[in-house]
Amino acid sequence: MSKRFDYLDNLEAQAIHILREVAGQFERPALLFSGGKDSITLVRLAEKAFRPGKFPFPLVHIDTGHNFREVIEYRDRLAAQLGEKLIVRKVEDTIRRQGLTDGTGKYPSRNALQANTLLETIEEFEFDACIGGARRDEEKARAKERIFSIRDEFGAWDPKRQRPELWDIYNGAIRKGENVRVFPISNWTELDVWNYIRREGIELPEIYFSHSRDLVVTPGGQLLAVTEHIRLDPEDEITVRDVRFRTVGDATCTAAVESLATTVDDIIQDILTTKISERGATRLDDRLSEAAMEDRKKNGYF
């Protein structure tokens, strides 16, 4: 009896189709790899799309220098296992070259500065398409993007200038200097990603699973890891709790959630019962303003 094609098979097939469209339509694509679950899922999809051959694009990590140690270790280990090219470009180098102001305050985030380094990297390697792991269910600005989303010659995104995408037709035609951000798992939800990780037996960085960690409680009530990247004041109270991370971003702006989930099955049960969205529970940078993510994207952010 033939295997029944389930909803994960459909999502996988659509994503593989998009990745192959990128390979067919663009001369110099790249896959933006953060070491988070979404870009890890993209890597697995790329393996299915292109093995036994090599990927038709390198992995690119824009390293802020504020990453979690576990994620950087995972990044390097996975790239070595894959035998694929990994390009790393550092935000601190961009800060020095462009004379930018580094993050300040108690939680000095370089999150917005990543856009400068990404645009430099696109220009350096003349990338015409950058594949990212953003999903529509993460944040309302991401919900506005098409799967093929055009950036102008300055790297800027205009949410009012988007092409229709009918059925499975993706238009990658661009003018010189423009490039396209491509989101093959845009239609996936957080739960879809975890169900796919479970089905595929994908290894993840340890910080996704429950562990005991030193934390500081922010004025907004979020739990931020104690690292060398944040500034502690005498009045700050350090607490030790069992937590995991729902998203993988900078240690300066990505909060943990209390959880005893030590397996992928446990995490799926967590997601099924929580009433707080993925980024709403974890991201300090999205709380800066109502349109924080959209403003960053307009300036070239992922």
Side-chain angles (χ1 to χ4, degrees):
M1 181 180 292
S2 62
K3 175 181 177 295
R4 185 174 179 182
F5 211 62
D6 67 13
Y7 90 100
L8 284 178
D9 293 320
N10 279 289
L11 289 173
E12 178 188 75
Q14 183 194 36
I16 290 173
H17 169 69
I18 293 165
L19 288 170
R20 289 174 175 165
E21 282 291 300
V22 172
Q25 293 196 38
F26 297 95
E27 295 182 7
R28 286 177 291 278
L31 191 155
L32 303 177
F33 183 75
S34 67
K37 65 184 185 306
D38 299 314
S39 57
I40 292 168
T41 296
L42 284 180
V43 167
R44 174 55 58 90
L45 291 164
E47 288 186 281
K48 294 202 172 190
F50 303 112
R51 291 293 191 236
K54 299 281 286 185
F55 292 177
F57 37 68
L59 308 182
V60 174
H61 184 217
I62 305 302
D63 186 347
T64 64
H66 289 170
N67 303 101
F68 288 97
R69 170 187 54 78
E70 299 94 325
V71 175
I72 297 301
E73 291 174 355
Y74 177 94
R75 177 199 72 186
D76 294 340
R77 186 169 67 252
L78 181 65
Q81 290 171 352
L82 290 168
E84 298 291 345
K85 184 177 182 181
L86 171 67
I87 296 170
V88 178
R89 288 295 180 268
K90 297 184 177 181
V91 171
E92 62 188 60
D93 292 336
T94 304
I95 291 172
R96 186 176 60 254
R97 272 193 299 272
Q98 298 189 13
L100 303 175
T101 301
D102 203 350
T104 58
K106 279 181 69 66
Y107 315 122
S109 176
R110 290 176 172 172
N111 204 17
L113 295 173
Q114 289 182 88
N116 299 72
T117 308
L118 175 60
L119 296 180
E120 276 189 346
T121 307
I122 289 172
E123 183 176 3
E124 177 185 356
F125 293 94
E126 298 183 338
F127 292 134
D128 51 5
C130 292
I131 304 162
R135 310 187 321 269
R136 289 193 172 111
D137 76 323
E138 286 183 88
E139 206 277 340
K140 55 191 175 186
R142 289 187 165 171
K144 291 182 179 180
E145 294 233 45
R146 303 291 195 213
I147 290 175
F148 275 31
S149 188
I150 291 184
R151 300 298 192 271
D152 67 18
E153 63 271 33
F154 304 105
W157 173 61
D158 181 354
K160 297 176 182 176
R161 180 181 169 239
Q162 303 206 65
R163 296 168 175 171
E165 289 180 337
L166 306 177
W167 302 285
D168 293 331
I169 300 172
Y170 303 106
N171 184 354
I174 54 175
R175 293 176 296 193
K176 186 173 177 56
E178 294 180 329
N179 64 84
V180 172
R181 306 288 170 84
V182 181
F183 305 110
I185 61 170
S186 182
N187 290 335
W188 298 38
T189 66
E190 181 187 17
L191 186 59
D192 296 333
V193 170
W194 280 105
N195 279 327
Y196 190 72
I197 287 168
R198 176 172 62 181
R199 190 183 86 169
E200 297 293 312
I202 299 173
E203 181 193 357
L204 294 174
E206 297 167 4
I207 66 171
Y208 277 115
F209 302 97
S210 181
H211 57 284
S212 240
R213 186 178 283 265
D214 290 346
L215 304 146
V216 59
V217 182
T218 71
Q222 293 180 303
L223 299 170
L224 208 61
V226 174
T227 69
E228 67 274 26
H229 306 303
I230 65 172
R231 191 189 78 210
L232 292 176
D233 293 324
E235 62 270 25
D236 285 325
E237 182 180 349
I238 307 303
T239 181
V240 180
R241 302 190 195 178
D242 292 323
V243 296
R244 67 179 183 85
F245 289 84
R246 286 178 72 178
T247 64
V248 168
D250 274 6
T252 54
C253 64
T254 306
V257 294
E258 290 193 77
S259 173
L260 296 176
T262 57
T263 68
V264 172
D265 284 335
D266 293 340
I267 291 171
I268 289 172
Q269 285 304 308
D270 267 6
I271 295 170
L272 287 171
T273 56
T274 187
K275 294 182 179 178
I276 302 175
S277 69
E278 180 180 354
R279 293 188 72 94
T282 61
R283 299 304 294 253
L284 275 65
D285 47 335
D286 289 348
R287 295 187 173 193
L288 295 177
S289 74
E290 183 70 15
M293 171 67 85
E294 184 162 328
D295 290 342
R296 291 200 303 273
K297 290 177 80 68
K298 286 178 179 176
N299 292 324
Y301 190 70
F302 303 94

